[in-house]
Amino acid sequence: MSNEEKILRSLELLKDIGYKSDSIKAIKHIPAQEGKYRDYPDGVHPALREALAAKGFTQLFSHQRSTWEALREGKNVVVVTPTASGKTLCYNLPVLDAIMKDPSTRALYLFPTKALSQDQQAELDDINARLPEEIRVFTYDGDTPQDARKAIRARGHIVLTNPDMLHAGILPHHTKWIKLFENLKYIVIDELHSYRGIFGSHLANVLRRLRRIARFYGADPQFILSTATIANPAEMAEKMIEAPVALVDDNGAPRGGKYIVFYTPPVVNAALGIRRSYVNESRRVASIFLRNGLQTIVFAGSRLITEVLLTYLKEDIETNIQKEGLIRGYRGGYLPLKRREIEKGLRSGEILGVVSTNALELGIDIGTLDVAVLAGYPGTIASTWQRAGRAGRKTGLSAAVLVATSSPLDQFIINNPEYFFSKSPEMALINPDNLSILVSHVECAAFELPFEDGERFGRAEIGEILNFLEEDKLLHHSKDKWFYTSEAYPADAISLRSISSDNFVVVDITGEAKVIAEVDFTAALTALHPKAIYIVEGEQYFVEKLDFEERKAYVKKTDIDYYTDAIDYTKITVLDIFDKKGIEAGAGRISHGEVHVATQVVGFKKIKFHTMENVGAGDLQLPQNEMHTTAYWLTVPSALMQAVPFPAEQRINGLFGLAYILHHVSPIFMMCDLHDVGVSIGDNTTGESLPPRLAPARPGPAVQGQDETPLAMDPDFEPNIFIYDSFPGGIGLSPSLFSLEGRLLEHALKTLEACPCRDGCPSCTGATNESGKEAKKVARILLQGLLGLETPRSHQVN
């Protein structure tokens, strides 16, 4: 049976299951597309053309030829085409051609991950083997041996690296890289769409430093940027490199046909709106394809869900077939050799299925896969297409199934397929002038080269920042120049990612002690707390001890039927109000400004495999994580809170339900992932914060918790619901919510009213055992009052 027949057969089985339970909301067939080809330009070096023809590239796709022509005109170029459309050759062709014609030419390739760098190294090595003269290509990252680094600096024609290494390992040592910077002709930035938010804002500043150093050595390199489909590629590229770009977006690559299925778990309790676990449904869907021998990738939204799904699918597939290693996991935290082994197994076909976080979303070569199953909406349309594109990377038929979670955002997307298929993918947002990011990189740039009076940093005016750094004893002003004077090495203290560079090592002490994984600082607090169950490749480990000073977590193997999920408590303090206004015709007030956020892990839940039920909990007291950021907040007037005709405890439940739905629907407007924003409830009068529903008991601000009696509410209690940028300093997400005025609340009310449950569920105000009794009814009354649609009658009894 051919793969196409297997896919069609599997889809029929999925339809049989899905239509009976009203789970399939849409099936869309995207027809195959013929390729648009053009001949190589006359100027391409003959030996390079022969080498590429030997690899099967006898002609160029139209977008590859267009890129060549724009570069020949001296332009910077951004290439926007789907996954597996030959973007790599768009930059390899001009770079290799330039080096073959002038061996002094140098190029720098930037990839968001080490894995992508190594993937590109393999591609270039393959071309190199077919060339008469060697082009020296080297990967320069944290894994590069010290004794090889000197040779790379002196001899490398093409240096493959990542933004982190460029930031901390190359730019601060530019005097050792003189040959590279003097002859730098091309800078390639692959996967531009992955540089959103904080990472992209950092990269834009790293590029300011890079261009500044290149100018110092007399070079003015051209940029070649490539990206999957986003709505604002030219704007994003120009903001990133602060120079005009030519847009190449006419995809000439052939495309195989693809079926895309929108699947939502069936309702198991209509009154409560509870659906079957999306994890179990993703397992069920993936198993259909895997049992038919179709190579399948399953994308999960977190490391934890990746390991849970891996455990399930190993049970389903490997146990029945009696063959180990058919199903593998792939995520950050696995050691590099293990990741390379999994990639190789996928390419060779030895591995039938892989469960991955977004680590395989980007263009790492994992061969030709047949099916992609997305366990949960990734948060953006662009990411959904990127993940779906990992299946069917050549010309054959493929399939992708999006399995919705119970979150309001997922349910909106899955029940409105026309919104997904007709709407342009979201805009990628960066803010290079985020003050905390900008100050950090001005300090790094001053370390690299002194600033002159009046000099700009890219397009940014930095006079005040230089003065600030001088007051901080980091710079000294002398003879119209600003010199770095501190003994500190500034780049080492700055992480380009939202995660800390201060990682924890996971040590297995079941037998002889050995390192099994590495986890960043922020994730360690929730994944490696004492008594946590940490999962690696389906193996469960019990965390015996978390050593903060040594940055180590000590674990032992275990075999139990639950995993753990951390509970955190967030306290927000308003530092500055940038703007505030009332909601037209309603009672609500909205504000945005600067806040201090302190988050502490205070407990954990034990979640049973398969049923996903909460089977226990525990208390914790871990150190706080603190940051300054920007936030949007909605103030619910005390008069409205008092007028809600429900007891005080149920009004608090409604607040938690309202916070839940606002948090989950806000990404629709902000074009970001759910984890890019956090939510917390505070008291506008006292400034105190309410603890989360399942946290260990502690007294509230205006609410006093008693074991046997309902919460008593202070008449002056005026809650703020904060939605804050999860990144220090903010990247512009919160101000975009403020500009919506009442539209966010209107959308939340529509989502609430469209949900068929009676008392609240994960698709609207959250599960009733977490948000509490009557949360949905109270949240609806609050939304109506805030929007001025209906005034609740006063309720006098607390």
Side-chain angles (χ1 to χ4, degrees):
M1 188 183 294
S2 70
N3 268 23
E4 183 166 328
E5 289 171 324
K6 289 179 183 176
I7 289 172
L8 293 172
R9 179 184 170 189
S10 301
L11 287 171
E12 286 304 316
L13 290 171
L14 184 60
K15 286 180 193 175
D16 285 346
I17 295 168
Y19 283 135
K20 286 175 187 172
S21 57
D22 194 30
S23 292
I24 293 179
K25 298 299 179 182
I27 298 179
K28 186 172 179 68
H29 178 242
I30 299 171
Q33 177 179 291
E34 294 291 325
K36 289 179 274 186
Y37 300 94
R38 292 178 66 183
D39 292 332
Y40 280 93
D42 293 336
V44 176
H45 195 289
L48 177 58
R49 189 185 302 192
E50 285 177 25
L52 292 171
K55 277 177 62 67
F57 303 137
T58 53
Q59 287 181 294
L60 297 179
F61 298 139
S62 57
H63 60 277
Q64 293 168 340
R65 176 71 186 254
S66 298
T67 303
W68 170 279
E69 291 167 353
L71 290 168
R72 281 291 169 270
E73 294 170 9
K75 298 174 180 176
N76 301 303
V77 180
V78 59
V79 183
V80 189
T81 55
T83 306
S85 55
K87 287 191 285 285
T88 300
L89 197 57
C90 287
Y91 50 79
N92 279 345
L93 181 67
V95 169
L96 294 171
D97 180 74
I99 294 168
M100 292 180 75
K101 290 172 180 173
D102 178 4
S104 69
T105 299
R106 298 291 186 267
L108 185 67
Y109 284 26
L110 285 182
F111 300 93
T113 64
K114 291 179 186 177
L116 278 170
S117 300
Q118 289 160 349
D119 202 47
Q120 186 58 229
Q121 173 91 50
E123 172 66 18
L124 286 164
D125 286 348
D126 188 38
I127 298 173
N128 228 337
R130 305 167 195 270
L131 294 173
E133 292 185 24
E134 183 191 15
I135 292 176
R136 295 183 293 273
V137 181
F138 299 106
T139 298
Y140 192 84
D141 59 26
D143 298 331
T144 305
Q146 288 294 333
D147 56 356
R149 296 187 179 197
K150 187 175 180 181
I152 294 172
R153 290 193 289 263
R155 300 178 60 243
H157 285 119
I158 302 175
V159 176
L160 282 58
T161 189
N162 54 65
D164 308 87
M165 197 65 182
L166 177 62
H167 155 67
I170 296 178
L171 296 181
H173 308 291
H174 60 86
T175 53
K176 297 179 180 179
W177 292 86
I178 292 175
K179 273 198 173 179
L180 173 74
F181 286 113
E182 282 182 338
N183 300 286
L184 189 57
K185 184 174 176 62
Y186 290 114
I187 298 170
V188 172
I189 303 175
D190 195 21
E191 308 284 1
L192 177 67
H193 59 279
S194 68
Y195 297 110
R196 294 186 297 135
I198 200 78
F199 191 21
S201 303
H202 271 296
L203 177 60
N205 281 283
V206 171
L207 295 178
R208 286 168 166 172
R209 290 160 52 197
L210 172 58
R211 295 189 77 181
R212 185 169 179 258
I213 289 171
R215 280 197 302 272
F216 177 77
Y217 287 103
D220 185 19
Q222 283 176 271
F223 284 83
I224 310 171
L225 307 100
S226 76
T227 174
T229 307
I230 54 176
N232 61 332
E235 177 198 336
M236 167 76 163
E238 288 178 0
K239 200 166 187 179
M240 185 67 75
I241 68 171
E242 296 186 311
V245 298
L247 175 64
V248 175
D249 60 357
D250 178 25
N251 177 29
R255 180 185 68 205
K258 185 186 291 288
Y259 283 95
I260 297 183
V261 182
F262 275 24
Y263 184 100
T264 187
V267 174
V268 293
N269 185 323
L272 298 178
I274 294 174
R275 298 178 182 275
R276 277 194 61 175
S277 159
Y278 82 98
V279 177
N280 287 329
E281 289 303 290
S282 299
R283 167 195 189 176
R284 190 181 184 190
V285 170
S287 293
I288 290 172
F289 294 104
L290 289 165
R291 287 195 178 104
N292 276 298
L294 293 163
Q295 207 172 17
T296 301
I297 183 167
V298 182
F299 282 105
S302 69
R303 294 177 176 190
L304 178 62
I305 299 301
T306 298
E307 297 296 351
V308 172
L309 269 170
L310 178 61
T311 305
Y312 290 169
L313 289 172
K314 275 180 172 289
E315 282 179 21
D316 292 348
I317 306 302
E318 291 184 359
T319 307
N320 290 337
I321 299 177
Q322 297 292 309
K323 184 177 178 183
E324 289 188 9
L326 280 177
I327 312 297
R328 301 294 295 272
Y330 190 104
R331 62 171 176 80
Y334 286 6
L335 298 175
L337 283 176
K338 182 176 280 190
R339 292 201 297 267
R340 299 297 87 74
E341 174 203 328
I342 295 165
E343 291 161 21
K344 185 180 176 184
L346 284 167
R347 287 194 294 269
S348 68
E350 291 173 20
I351 294 175
L352 181 63
V354 63
V355 186
S356 175
T357 58
N358 62 355
L360 281 178
E361 180 178 317
L362 304 179
I364 297 166
D365 181 13
I366 51 174
T368 308
L369 302 181
D370 302 306
V371 180
V373 176
L374 282 62
Y377 177 60
T380 67
I381 293 172
S383 271
T384 307
W385 282 113
Q386 186 78 359
R387 294 183 187 188
R390 295 309 311 218
R393 289 175 64 85
K394 292 185 179 175
T395 54
L397 185 68
S398 63
V401 183
L402 172 60
V403 181
T405 72
S406 294
S407 83
L409 179 58
D410 281 46
Q411 288 300 312
F412 173 80
I413 292 292
I414 217 79
N415 287 299
N416 295 275
E418 70 286 350
Y419 171 88
F420 178 88
F421 289 110
S422 64
K423 192 169 177 65
S424 296
E426 300 85 349
M427 296 172 71
L429 301 174
I430 60 171
N431 179 17
D433 296 332
N434 170 301
L435 192 57
S436 61
I437 294 174
L438 183 59
V439 169
S440 298
H441 287 281
V442 168
E443 183 185 343
C444 291
F447 174 89
E448 291 150 7
L449 291 169
F451 277 101
E452 296 182 359
D453 280 348
E455 182 181 348
R456 286 178 170 267
F457 185 52
R459 292 175 180 168
E461 163 54 50
I462 57 168
E464 289 184 12
I465 294 174
L466 295 174
N467 285 320
F468 166 77
L469 292 173
E470 185 183 34
E471 289 171 14
D472 217 19
K473 309 293 187 205
L474 296 171
L475 299 186
H476 174 67
H477 187 240
S478 175
K479 295 182 180 178
D480 303 327
K481 288 191 176 180
W482 298 83
F483 296 91
Y484 191 80
T485 56
S486 172
E487 292 182 3
Y489 179 63
D492 254 3
I494 301 163
S495 168
L496 301 189
R497 321 259 174 168
S498 56
I499 58 173
S500 166
S501 57
D502 196 8
N503 291 348
F504 278 77
V505 171
V506 183
V507 183
D508 178 11
I509 54 172
T510 310
E512 187 179 337
K514 61 179 179 181
V515 174
I516 57 170
E518 198 173 329
V519 179
D520 66 81
F521 181 89
T522 308
L525 297 175
T526 55
L528 292 172
H529 58 76
K531 300 180 185 176
I533 301 300
Y534 185 69
I535 309 178
V536 179
E537 279 244 64
E539 292 278 355
Q540 296 170 300
Y541 295 87
F542 180 84
V543 180
E544 298 276 345
K545 180 185 175 186
L546 184 62
D547 188 331
F548 273 88
E549 288 185 10
E550 295 294 323
R551 295 294 190 259
K552 288 180 180 176
Y554 296 95
V555 302
K556 282 185 178 178
K557 276 191 179 181
T558 187
D559 185 16
I560 47 182
D561 64 350
Y562 69 84
Y563 61 92
T564 51
D565 191 15
I567 304 165
D568 57 35
Y569 170 71
T570 300
K571 176 175 168 51
I572 293 186
T573 306
V574 177
L575 302 176
D576 188 15
I577 300 173
F578 299 153
D579 201 358
K580 59 183 178 181
K581 57 188 168 187
I583 296 171
E584 190 175 343
R589 303 193 306 276
I590 55 173
S591 313
H592 81 109
E594 185 180 357
V595 296
H596 174 266
V597 179
T599 303
Q600 184 176 21
V601 175
V602 294
F604 64 93
K605 297 176 282 185
K606 297 177 181 178
I607 309 296
K608 196 167 184 177
F609 286 120
H610 306 288
T611 65
M612 312 302 284
E613 61 187 302
N614 186 337
V615 292
D619 296 353
L620 294 168
Q621 285 296 325
L622 296 184
Q624 280 194 156
N625 251 2
E626 299 185 33
M627 70 171 174
H628 285 199
T629 187
T630 56
Y632 155 97
W633 61 96
L634 167 71
T635 303
V636 182
S638 55
L640 177 58
M641 283 299 297
Q642 289 296 316
V644 173
F646 284 90
E649 184 174 11
Q650 291 172 15
R651 283 181 257 164
I652 296 297
N653 295 345
L655 264 184
F656 278 100
L658 178 55
Y660 178 93
I661 195 168
L662 290 175
H663 182 211
H664 281 75
V665 301
S666 59
I668 293 172
F669 298 100
M670 292 189 293
M671 301 174 182
C672 70
D673 298 327
L674 186 64
H675 64 260
D676 289 340
V677 288
V679 66
S680 181
I681 301 175
D683 186 345
N684 194 42
T685 308
T686 67
E688 293 296 325
S689 294
L690 269 66
R693 263 282 170 250
L694 296 178
R698 64 169 75 199
V703 184
Q704 205 66 32
Q706 312 258 314
D707 285 344
E708 303 297 330
T709 58
L711 294 167
M713 186 181 292
D714 189 304
D716 296 327
F717 177 51
E718 189 168 72
N720 288 329
I721 298 175
F722 292 93
I723 299 177
Y724 58 90
D725 277 22
S726 293
F727 308 113
I731 53 165
L733 302 179
S734 303
S736 68
L737 280 184
F738 181 77
S739 66
L740 290 170
E741 299 186 352
R743 277 183 291 159
L744 173 62
L745 304 186
E746 289 166 6
H747 199 90
L749 183 58
K750 283 179 186 173
T751 307
L752 193 76
E753 291 179 334
C755 187
C757 74
R758 187 183 66 210
D759 298 322
C761 71
S763 299
C764 56
T765 54
T768 51
N769 65 335
E770 295 196 20
S771 56
K773 190 178 178 184
E774 305 293 2
K776 183 176 184 178
K777 292 174 185 172
V778 173
R780 186 169 183 266
I781 291 169
L782 289 174
L783 281 167
Q784 289 171 334
L786 290 165
L787 289 166
L789 301 177
E790 185 177 317
T791 305
R793 62 185 187 278
S794 180
H795 184 72
Q796 302 299 330
V797 181
N798 285 334

